[in-house]
Amino acid sequence: INQKLSDMSSSDSLTGLANRYTFDILIHHLLANAKRHQHPVSIMMLDLSELKAINADGHTLHLDTFIQKTGQFIKTSIRASDVACRWSEDKFLVTFNNCQQDKATSIAESLRLNIEHLLHKELNHYVANSIRISAGLTDYYPNDTIESLLERTERALTHAQSQDSNRMMYVQPPYYMPTYMTRRINKQLDVKAVQMQA
C-alpha cells in the first residue's frame, strides 16, 4: 500500500509518467548536473489540441484511453535517463539528456510523427484530422533558470501552433525567435518508433 501511495504521489495516474511535482524535482537535479558536467540538454513540449473530437460523434475510443496510450508510447520511446512528464491534460514535457541538439531534434520530431501515426491508427480519418499535434523544442543554456527554459519551450510551441500546427518549432537559446526545424506532416508516411540508445 505504501509503495502504491508513493507511486501515485510521484506519477500521473493515467499515463504513469512523472507528474508536475516530480518533474520539478527531477529537472532541478538534471540541470544542475548538466551545468556541472557541461552536458547538453534539450526539452520538448508536446501539445495535442482539439482532443474533445475523440469523444464526439460517438467514437468508441475514449479520450482517456488515447491519452494513456500516448503516455505509454512516450515512455517506451525515450531512454531511462530522459524524463517525460504529463504537464497538463493535453501537454507533455520530455527532456533529452546528454544529447546533442541535432540528435535531440531528430528524436523529438520522430516522436511527434509517431504519435501522429498512432493517432491515425487508433482513430478514424475524420477525427484524427481534427486533432493537431504540435511541439516546441529548445536547449538548456547555462544562464537559464527553469522558468526561462520552460518559457522558451512554450514560446516555441506557440509558434508551431500559429503555423497551422502539426509541426515542430525550435528556438535557439538564449533567444526567443523561432526557426523552422520540420516540414508539414506527410499523412501517408509510415514512421516507425525511433528509440534513443543508452
Side-chain angles (χ1 to χ4, degrees):
I1 292 175
N2 287 336
Q3 181 62 50
K4 190 167 281 288
L5 287 172
S6 176
D7 292 343
M8 288 172 61
S9 65
S10 63
S11 62
D12 174 63
S13 59
L14 184 61
T15 63
L17 301 178
N19 57 27
R20 289 184 68 155
Y21 174 76
T22 304
F23 182 83
D24 187 54
I25 296 173
L26 293 174
I27 194 71
H28 276 88
H29 289 289
L30 189 155
L31 296 184
N33 186 63
K35 190 172 185 177
R36 185 181 307 115
H37 299 289
Q38 298 185 333
H39 290 163
V41 174
S42 297
I43 184 168
M44 175 179 71
M45 183 174 287
L46 183 79
D47 176 76
L48 289 70
S49 60
E50 307 299 332
L51 285 178
K52 291 181 180 179
I54 292 178
N55 286 343
D57 199 30
H59 198 276
T60 55
L61 183 68
H62 195 271
L63 172 59
D64 284 353
T65 303
F66 180 72
I67 293 176
Q68 185 178 51
K69 285 175 180 275
T70 301
Q72 291 171 347
F73 181 81
I74 292 173
K75 191 173 185 177
T76 58
S77 297
I78 61 176
R79 301 169 303 174
S81 59
D82 295 328
V83 179
C85 162
R86 188 181 179 197
W87 191 245
S88 65
E89 181 182 5
D90 54 2
K91 285 187 176 67
F92 298 87
L93 275 177
V94 181
T95 66
F96 303 103
N97 309 324
N98 197 14
C99 182
Q100 296 297 328
Q101 185 266 316
D102 57 343
K103 181 67 173 178
T105 300
S106 175
I107 296 297
E109 175 62 356
S110 294
L111 182 59
R112 192 192 66 77
L113 283 168
N114 276 288
I115 293 173
E116 174 83 6
H117 180 65
L118 176 68
L119 182 72
H120 282 266
K121 178 181 177 182
E122 296 288 342
L123 305 172
N124 66 52
H125 185 70
Y126 174 78
V127 175
N129 283 338
S130 300
I131 298 170
R132 297 289 179 262
I133 302 179
S134 307
L137 182 76
T138 194
D139 305 318
Y140 171 64
Y141 186 70
N143 292 332
D144 266 326
T145 63
I146 292 176
E147 290 74 19
S148 66
L149 178 62
L150 292 176
E151 180 184 0
R152 193 165 60 249
T153 308
E154 194 159 12
R155 284 194 182 219
L157 172 63
T158 300
H159 283 298
Q161 293 170 322
S162 70
Q163 302 294 323
D164 198 25
S165 299
N166 278 352
R167 64 177 60 208
M168 184 175 70
M169 298 286 282
Y170 170 80
V171 174
Q172 182 177 356
Y175 308 107
Y176 287 96
M177 295 300 292
T179 54
Y180 289 97
M181 296 300 290
T182 185
R183 63 200 179 285
R184 287 181 182 273
I185 283 181
N186 177 357
K187 298 294 184 182
Q188 303 303 316
L189 189 62
D190 183 9
V191 185
K192 297 185 182 298
V194 178
Q195 297 191 15
M196 296 182 66
Q197 300 300 315

